[in-house]
Amino acid sequence: MCPPLFGSPDFLEPPVYRPPSEAYSLILQATLGCSHNKCTFCGSYRTKQFSTKPFETFQAEVEHLARVQGVRPRRIFLADGDALVLSTEKLQRILKLLYKEFPGLERITIYGSAANTKQKSDDELRQLHEAGLDMVYIGLESGDDEILRRVIKGATNQDHIDACRRMIDAGLKVSVIIILGLGGTERSKEHAEHTATTINAIDPPYLAALTLMLVPGTELHAQAQEGSFNPLNPLETLHELRQIIDKLTDLTSCVFRTNHASNYLQLRGVLSKDRPRLLEEIDSVLSQPETARHLRPEFLRRL
Ligand code: SF4
């Protein structure tokens, strides 16, 4: 969810967000905004009324990019907030169109939610994978049900486990996103513990951690201003991350990254083999915070 966008500026309706690993993907908007748009920490699509793009409009944009501009992407990210909300039939038409118009296209990815997944049968998820949908990014945010309720995520921890397991069983890759500090000081311990338990239950191939940023205009920002939400400081955030990683012991082959611009510390590794090294990296910062050079300064953090 950060710039620069490697997309089709002619057709993009801002604001546009994408995961860090889609930095060099062509961004195409199949929907505008987020169908949920209620999370108290998220200001991403507050200015956008959710809508779906008519297939004919999407098709005309794709044909222009392919046939007039000669765009030849290897990767495409389907935006906006949860394009997986589209019907399976429409998504299949979109996937077919993209592979037809862009020879050399290797993968298509998308943001989705537990609610979107619940609307699709196992068979439909399999059909989407067979039609060339490669990976779904899903915001778990926290495995703690109390936090999910407070931030109005619209799904429980079990909803997320079920959704992710069903997608993985259908052949889709799943990249799970969590937000450090989302429970504030009050629920940091529960956030760490329940998030780790949930991730272990999902056993995703990819896991990314973001760090909470209080966005003006959101309910969570207002709660912090009035003192009913107490955000973590950078070292408390790292301590929370350490607690999570320490408990991620049941994963098969999960690539973990904190490469999002909101994070204080950049980490990367395969949890099943690199967990001790990742914990050491965090410990070296926690033990000598005053000399820690690797922490991203506050003014450089962004969404
Ligand atoms: S966090 Fe995701 S689901 Fe929640 S409002 Fe923002 S884009 Fe929508």
Side-chain angles (χ1 to χ4, degrees), residues 116-188:
N116 304 156
T117 312
K118 214 173 200 170
Q119 289 163 353
K120 294 183 171 29
S121 68
D122 292 347
D123 222 36
E124 288 179 301
L125 293 174
R126 235 184 322 271
Q127 285 167 20
L128 288 175
H129 171 58
E130 281 163 11
L133 183 63
D134 190 60
M135 180 156 73
V136 179
Y137 295 92
I138 183 163
L140 162 68
E141 331 298 11
S142 174
D144 181 57
D145 274 338
E146 177 56 21
I147 295 176
L148 292 173
R149 187 189 67 74
R150 289 184 188 181
V151 302
I152 318 186
K153 184 64 197 173
T156 64
N157 126 35
Q158 191 60 49
D159 291 336
H160 284 107
I161 294 172
D162 293 346
C164 292
R165 282 309 322 165
R166 288 183 54 233
M167 287 194 280
I168 291 167
D169 290 347
L172 293 160
K173 294 192 192 92
V174 168
S175 181
V176 175
I177 303 158
I178 58 173
I179 303 181
L180 303 174
L182 192 59
T185 53
E186 192 194 335
R187 287 196 78 80
S188 180

Side-chain angles (χ1 to χ4, degrees), residues 262-279:
S262 64
N263 289 309
Y264 292 107
L265 185 65
Q266 298 277 307
L267 296 172
R268 187 195 154 93
V270 178
L271 285 160
S272 53
K273 67 180 175 71
D274 298 326
R275 206 168 54 88
R277 193 251 306 156
L278 295 170
L279 290 172

Side-chain angles (χ1 to χ4, degrees), residues 1 33-46 80-82 111-113 139 141 151-153 179:
M1 295 171 71
C34 163
S35 70
H36 179 58
N37 215 11
K38 291 190 185 81
C39 299
T40 64
F41 57 87
C42 175
S44 300
Y45 302 109
R46 298 281 167 123
D80 273 339
D82 62 338
Y111 275 137
S113 71
E141 331 298 11
V151 302
I152 318 186
K153 184 64 197 173
I179 303 181

Side-chain angles (χ1 to χ4, degrees), residues 216-260:
T218 60
E219 293 81 357
L220 198 61
H221 182 270
Q223 288 162 13
Q225 298 283 93
E226 72 185 24
S228 59
F229 177 82
N230 296 306
L232 303 188
N233 67 33
L235 293 182
E236 288 168 338
T237 306
L238 283 188
H239 185 68
E240 185 176 277
L241 176 60
R242 193 198 189 288
Q243 286 178 286
I244 296 173
I245 293 179
D246 189 43
K247 292 190 169 67
L248 292 178
T249 51
D250 297 339
L251 303 177
T252 312
S253 180
C254 177
V255 176
F256 173 68
R257 298 189 191 103
T258 60
N259 58 345
H260 190 268

